[in-house]
Amino acid sequence: MARTYPLPHPGRRPSTPGLHRRGRLTAALAAAVLGASGLALAGPATAAEAAPTAQAAPAAVPAHAVTGYWQNFNNGATVQTLADVPDAYDIIAVSFADATANPGEITFTLDSAGLGGYTDEQFRADLAAKQADGKSVIISVGGEKGAVAVNDSASAQRFADSTYALMEEYGFDGVDIDLENGLNSTYMTEALTKLHEKAGDGLVLTMAPQTIDMQSPENEYFKTALATKDFLTVVNMQYYNSGSMLGCDGQVYSQGTVDFLTALACIQLENGLDASQVGIGVPASPKAAGGGHVEPSVVNAALDCLTRGTGCGTFKPEKTYPALRGAMTWSTNWDADTGNAWSNVVGPHVDDLP
């Protein structure tokens, strides 16, 4: 996902670790609200009274979902708090985690100064509130300028340990892999498998490969997606900043068209990923990427083409994929820059997919 500067499986039953993580955040948020109101928090008198706490489990990702990247930096797009992100977004990817000097290890620091004084305390409270509204908030790793090296078993372990530590500390529901400077499928798969073992089936795992990374199932990114298919949530490929690419029919398609979206999605859909694990990733505005922006109506046409067989361009898939997960945009901030024009159009359409 480009840090662009102006002129760049269906949700599953949560495991116990995810349940405890969300429960702690919800309790903390409730305590903060009640404390500010001057109300006392009393312990439950009976097991029945304690039962509601056990319901604070991570919400399942909807069958059709909208993913948006939230910028933890100011690059000229609208500066937002997490609370500002519109309700249309089902998965919010916090961009980005930072690499440490130890290969594979990541950390996260809120850019309070760049975000107009947004505090860590406010961020955590907003994150918990989004989750209470049924949203998933995950930490994104990589971006245009981010490089996390996972090239052996030791760094794979550090990646899993440090990512899970951030999930425990902040309450993130999972991780987004947006490594644009290459990855090793063997060891990234090892890292993600170890993370899944720690977090359980409540883990939300998304990926945002570039178009070149998903042209063939022999590519490292594609191999990673297939190797983690049993717990992968969605691959939101970046259908932009790439120029022309081959579609699944062997024809060349130009970015910025409905055919580019549908014919390239077809490669993933016909080479091992479940339809529920495929999403369409596009820029929210022309300023958000160097090329490949399409109007929200074109995104909706591509979604209809793939799920219903209507709205297609010259390319029409041989079959439909009603379980297609949905769409993604870079970023919620660039979306806000245009009055949320992207999410206002694409969000309701995704909700209405078959």
Side-chain angles (χ1 to χ4, degrees), residues 72-220:
N72 179 40
F73 53 89
N74 181 357
N75 65 347
T78 300
V79 172
Q80 292 181 315
T81 66
L82 278 183
D84 295 329
V85 176
D87 189 61
Y89 291 99
D90 303 294
I91 303 174
I92 303 168
V94 172
S95 310
F96 294 98
D98 300 306
T100 74
N102 299 316
E105 186 178 61
I106 64 169
T107 187
F108 174 73
T109 303
L110 187 72
D111 182 14
S112 295
L115 302 182
Y118 191 30
T119 68
D120 190 78
E121 182 180 15
Q122 291 172 316
F123 173 79
R124 292 173 191 247
D126 289 347
L127 190 156
K130 281 294 182 184
Q131 292 172 325
D133 285 340
K135 312 303 181 183
S136 297
V137 184
I138 60 179
I139 182 68
S140 183
V141 178
E144 179 195 17
K145 300 179 180 180
V148 178
V150 181
N151 295 319
D152 54 31
S153 290
S155 56
Q157 188 67 60
R158 281 192 289 269
F159 182 89
D161 290 344
S162 59
T163 302
Y164 187 66
L166 290 178
M167 292 173 66
E168 287 289 279
E169 180 181 358
Y170 285 93
F172 293 121
D173 294 290
V175 66
D176 169 69
I177 306 302
D178 181 18
L179 295 172
E180 302 180 13
N181 298 295
L183 59 75
N184 181 305
S185 63
T186 298
Y187 295 110
M188 180 52 70
T189 297
E190 182 177 329
L192 294 173
T193 300
K194 289 177 180 294
L195 178 61
H196 177 242
E197 290 170 354
K198 290 173 174 288
D201 288 343
L203 178 73
V204 176
L205 171 61
T206 70
M207 298 182 185
Q210 298 172 101
T211 52
I212 192 66
D213 297 318
M214 302 300 284
Q215 283 277 283
S216 165
E218 297 305 311
N219 291 355
E220 290 296 286

Side-chain angles (χ1 to χ4, degrees), residues 39 73 219 278 352:
L39 299 177
F73 53 89
N219 291 355
V278 176
D352 194 43

Side-chain angles (χ1 to χ4, degrees), residues 37 51 57-58 70-71 86 91-92 101 121 132 169 180 217 226 236 261 272 275 297 301 328 351:
S37 305
W70 176 83
Q71 298 178 188
I91 303 174
I92 303 168
E121 182 180 15
E169 180 181 358
E180 302 180 13
L226 293 174
N236 292 304
L261 304 181
S297 59
M328 170 275 278
D351 291 342

Side-chain angles (χ1 to χ4, degrees), residues 274-342:
D274 189 81
S276 67
Q277 297 172 318
V278 176
I280 295 174
V282 296
S285 77
K287 293 181 179 179
H293 172 261
V294 295
E295 292 299 320
S297 59
V298 176
V299 179
N300 288 350
L303 293 171
D304 286 342
C305 177
L306 293 169
T307 60
R308 297 185 171 100
T310 62
C312 302
T314 58
F315 171 81
K316 185 171 183 178
E318 295 182 0
K319 62 181 180 181
T320 58
Y321 308 89
L324 192 81
R325 180 65 83 174
M328 170 275 278
T329 198
W330 176 264
S331 61
T332 65
N333 305 75
W334 285 115
D335 188 23
D337 208 48
T338 60
N340 298 315
W342 189 89

